[in-house]
């Protein structure tokens, strides 16, 4: 899980959170540290995000930057979550997020589900 901390030693955009940084995700986390697992954001309803961009824009920027799973946050109303979803879908449809990027994210999610045998999960009876 990437925090919204600012890492000026790596990130070139002033006050830009690591959770939305292509440099931090791809250059540092993936290339320098060799991490190939699932990258998840911290809650996108926190000040480091909402003081800079909308949650919908943050969702798109995050996926473009290399985030595999977005966390809306506990204080995000359902309509804002739906706007985030719509923004990501539109970004895929318009090519702002490539199918290759989306496939990478889905592959990482499915790999973890397989590793922990979550495909056979059955909900409990209410």
């Amino acid at each position: 899980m990437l925090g919204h901390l600012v890492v000026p030693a790596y990130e070139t955009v002033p006050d830009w959170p690591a959770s939305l940084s292509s440099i931090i995700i791809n250059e540092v986390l993936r290339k320098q540290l060799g991490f190939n697992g699932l990258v998840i954001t911290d809650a996108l309803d926190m000040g480091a995000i909402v003081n800079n961009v909308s949650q919908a824009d943050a969702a798109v920027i995050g996926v473009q930057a290399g985030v595999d799973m977005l966390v809306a946050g506990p204080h995000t109303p359902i309509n804002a979550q739906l706007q985030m979803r719509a923004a990501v879908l539109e970004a895929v449809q318009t090519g702002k997020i490539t199918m290759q990027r989306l496939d990478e994210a889905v592959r990482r999610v499915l790999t973890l589900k397989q590793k922990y045998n979550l495909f056979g999960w059955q909900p409990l009876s209410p």
Side-chain angles (χ1 to χ4, degrees), residues 68-125:
D68 301 313
M69 187 178 290
L70 303 160
V71 176
H75 305 293
T76 304
I78 191 68
N79 64 328
Q81 294 176 43
L82 292 171
Q83 289 172 357
M84 293 167 69
R85 179 182 180 272
V88 171
L89 288 174
E90 181 182 337
V92 171
Q93 292 167 347
T94 61
K96 291 180 182 178
I97 294 173
T98 66
M99 285 306 296
Q100 178 182 351
R101 170 78 270 283
L102 200 59
D103 287 345
E104 291 168 359
V106 170
R107 191 174 303 109
R108 288 188 186 106
V109 170
L110 293 177
T111 297
L112 273 182
K113 284 186 172 192
Q114 181 180 21
K115 179 179 178 178
Y116 293 103
N117 198 27
L118 296 178
F119 290 115
W121 177 81
Q122 294 292 320
L124 296 173
S125 171

Side-chain angles (χ1 to χ4, degrees), residues 1-5 18-20 39-46 48-49 55 58 67 69-74 84:
M1 176 178 276
L2 285 171
H4 302 312
L5 53 114
S19 53
L20 302 181
V39 173
I40 304 172
T41 65
D42 201 347
L44 295 177
D45 62 351
M46 298 174 81
I49 301 300
Q55 285 180 280
V67 169
M69 187 178 290
L70 303 160
V71 176
M84 293 167 69

Side-chain angles (χ1 to χ4, degrees), residues 11-44:
E11 178 55 54
T12 58
V13 178
D15 299 323
W16 195 245
S19 53
L20 302 181
S21 170
S22 177
I23 295 169
I24 300 294
I25 297 168
N26 295 306
E27 298 302 317
V28 178
L29 191 60
R30 298 254 185 240
K31 289 182 183 170
Q32 289 181 22
L33 299 176
F35 180 74
N36 293 313
L38 191 71
V39 173
I40 304 172
T41 65
D42 201 347
L44 295 177

